[in-house]
Amino acid sequence: MSEKNSYRSLLNERDFLFLSLGRLLKIIAMTLFSIEVVWITMYLTNNSALHLSITAMAQTVPFILFGIYGGVLADKWNKKKLMILCDVLAFPILLLIPVLYLFNNLSFLLLVFLTIGFTLLNCLSEPSFRSILPKILPRKKLKQGNALLDSIQRGAQIFVPLSIAFFLLFMPEIHLFTVAAIFTLLTFIAHCFIRYQPIKSVEQDNASDLKAIKETLKYIKTHPEISVPMLGSATCIFINTGLWRVGLPLLLNTQLNADVTAYSYAIGILGFSSLVTSVALGNSKRFNPKGTFIKGVFLWGMGLLMIGMFPHLLVIMFASLLLGIGQAAQGLTRVILFQETLPEHLLGKVFSTSSSLSYASDSSSLLLVPALVAIVPISGLFSGGGAILILLAILARLKLKKVNEPIHYDKKTM
């Protein structure tokens, strides 16, 4: 297979095509839900910032508390059936919101409970999605497959918000939940066409849930090729989230007299550069996951450092380009490193552990940065955060340099 036709070769992988289609449909549903739940919350609570925060927490806390258990289920149960079950349960939850609203029975408390339920189902199904890919795609196509899935996700998150205006030409805003429910039903249909038979794992069959979690944490601790990307990614998210979502709007408004238009440009540049980077990495002829991860963290840090040291609109736009490249590089290579090095019976639990760390970092960053802004100049926070990520890239390079073991694959699982 030539690298030139690497993406085209994925068209021959029937199960991967249905997994990709299901992913696209699910991302559309999740994006529509996450956007509309904000506006319905403001409608129900008269634009209460506190209630908006509660709704946001309802979409993150379940991942923090129960994320690793989703990995336990993914490694113990049939991954395909678990994804399908979550699709089936998510459909009525999404449909119930507009029904309750139309009958004037939708309260904020009910909305929060339904949001938690929808998030829990995503929390349980996500590890199965990540860990099923190495079972339905040949090893030599994993890089291209992950890159394409990452591109699908990033592309949908860019274009779905833009398409909402089109949907609203034909329906009231509340029915964005109905559209999300329809896309969830289509996701269920796509997942049903995946051919997958799990391979029994003696280790997992004989392990209790608590023992399996302890085994996973011990494995992560003793394998730098797993722990370094996992902790490195969580650190990047911890530093970046608050700066990007709180610090940058304040910087634009207070120091540069810029409005939401400038912020939207920065978001657009970041999203587009991350999408292009994912596609390019998937088709690259020379690809070193560890080296690419380190470079991604370094570029991420450079982008934040530039914003802090040279707070100018043009610099911010260029820095957004670097941030997009860095985020895509570290995110994609982290997934590939996990899939290439982990035993099958640990795949789901490690992915869910990484996801839980990421969500915890995201939430804690949003709590910390607003407090720091009151005592530290915003530009100083960007400079300090960027410097930390650059140092992190150097330390990761030194740590991973010692890890030279070849990647082993279980022939039975190929």
Side-chain angles (χ1 to χ4, degrees):
M1 179 188 71
S2 67
E3 288 291 329
K4 182 177 180 180
N5 297 322
S6 58
Y7 282 115
R8 186 179 300 175
S9 70
L10 293 174
L11 297 176
N12 299 323
E13 302 294 336
R14 174 188 179 277
D15 296 322
F16 175 77
L17 290 179
F18 282 113
L19 182 68
S20 302
L21 176 60
R23 187 60 172 178
L24 173 61
L25 296 169
K26 183 170 183 176
I27 291 298
I28 293 174
M30 291 172 62
T31 304
L32 288 172
F33 174 86
S34 64
I35 292 174
E36 179 55 20
V37 77
V38 171
W39 296 103
I40 195 64
T41 297
M42 291 192 295
Y43 173 80
L44 293 173
T45 64
N46 196 25
N47 300 322
S48 168
L50 174 61
H51 289 86
L52 275 176
S53 298
I54 293 174
T55 303
M57 290 176 63
Q59 297 177 76
T60 57
V61 172
F63 274 94
I64 299 172
L65 297 179
F66 304 105
I68 192 168
Y69 187 66
V72 172
L73 294 180
D75 290 333
K76 181 177 291 188
W77 293 359
N78 184 307
K79 297 175 177 58
K80 172 186 170 181
K81 290 182 178 179
L82 184 57
M83 290 192 298
I84 288 175
L85 176 62
C86 291
D87 296 335
V88 170
L89 295 176
F91 174 75
I93 289 178
L94 291 170
L95 207 55
L96 190 57
I97 297 176
V99 170
L100 289 172
Y101 175 85
L102 293 174
F103 284 95
N104 296 318
N105 289 320
L106 181 62
S107 66
F108 173 72
L109 187 60
L110 269 175
L111 180 66
V112 169
F113 278 122
L114 291 172
T115 301
I116 291 174
F118 181 70
T119 304
L120 271 174
L121 293 173
N122 290 328
C123 169
L124 296 177
S125 65
E126 186 67 15
S128 293
F129 163 74
R130 289 295 180 185
S131 56
I132 200 175
L133 184 60
K135 306 299 116 190
I136 65 174
L137 200 60
R139 179 184 65 180
K140 62 183 180 180
K141 297 182 180 180
L142 267 180
K143 180 189 69 172
Q144 290 81 12
N146 277 295
L148 184 58
L149 287 170
D150 188 66
S151 302
I152 288 173
Q153 179 164 330
R154 294 180 185 278
Q157 290 172 342
I158 294 172
F159 294 110
V160 170
L162 300 177
S163 69
I164 287 179
F166 172 78
F167 286 122
L168 295 182
L169 291 175
F170 306 99
M171 65 187 70
E173 183 181 298
I174 189 66
H175 282 304
L176 289 178
F177 288 115
T178 307
V179 175
I182 294 172
F183 276 105
T184 299
L185 181 61
L186 294 174
T187 302
F188 157 75
I189 296 172
H191 286 161
C192 285
F193 282 98
I194 298 173
R195 296 173 300 189
Y196 166 74
Q197 283 297 328
I199 298 175
K200 290 289 184 180
S201 171
V202 176
E203 295 93 333
Q204 191 61 38
D205 285 344
N206 294 333
S208 66
D209 291 350
L210 182 59
K211 183 179 178 181
I213 292 172
K214 289 181 178 179
E215 176 193 3
T216 302
L217 296 178
K218 181 179 179 181
Y219 186 94
I220 293 171
K221 183 179 179 181
T222 56
H223 288 75
E225 70 276 17
I226 301 299
S227 60
V228 170
M230 181 182 294
L231 295 176
S233 179
T235 303
C236 290
I237 292 171
F238 174 74
I239 290 175
N240 182 80
T241 300
L243 290 177
W244 187 257
R245 293 169 62 177
V246 178
L248 185 57
L250 290 174
L251 179 68
L252 289 169
N253 186 49
T254 60
Q255 296 189 24
L256 302 178
N257 293 321
D259 58 13
V260 68
T261 304
Y263 186 53
S264 64
Y265 285 156
I267 293 175
I269 291 172
L270 184 148
F272 181 76
S273 62
S274 63
L275 174 61
V276 172
T277 300
S278 293
V279 174
L281 287 175
N283 209 34
S284 62
K285 295 182 179 180
R286 294 183 179 180
F287 183 77
N288 178 352
K290 296 172 188 174
T292 304
F293 175 85
I294 293 167
K295 292 173 184 175
V297 175
F298 180 82
L299 288 175
W300 199 335
M302 282 297 298
L304 294 178
L305 184 63
M306 289 176 61
I307 294 175
M309 295 186 66
F310 310 103
H312 186 277
L313 278 178
L314 289 178
V315 174
I316 290 173
M317 298 306 155
F318 180 73
S320 299
L321 179 70
L322 295 183
L323 286 169
I325 296 172
Q327 289 179 18
Q330 74 82 28
L332 175 62
T333 51
R334 174 176 53 87
V335 171
I336 293 174
L337 282 170
F338 288 177
Q339 291 175 344
E340 288 183 338
T341 57
L342 285 167
E344 181 182 359
H345 72 283
L346 293 178
L347 271 171
K349 291 185 289 294
V350 170
F351 271 115
S352 60
T353 301
S354 180
S355 178
S356 296
L357 276 176
S358 296
Y359 276 97
S361 299
D362 186 273
S363 299
S364 55
S365 178
L366 288 173
L367 291 173
L368 181 62
V369 169
L372 290 177
V373 165
I375 56 177
V376 180
I378 300 175
S379 57
L381 291 177
F382 273 96
S383 297
I388 291 174
L389 292 193
I390 291 173
L391 177 61
L392 176 64
I394 296 172
L395 293 176
R397 174 72 177 90
L398 296 175
K399 188 72 173 178
L400 291 177
K401 188 177 182 180
K402 302 175 182 178
V403 183
N404 295 314
E405 299 92 341
I407 296 171
H408 296 286
Y409 295 90
D410 182 357
K411 293 182 180 179
K412 295 180 181 180
T413 64
M414 294 305 296

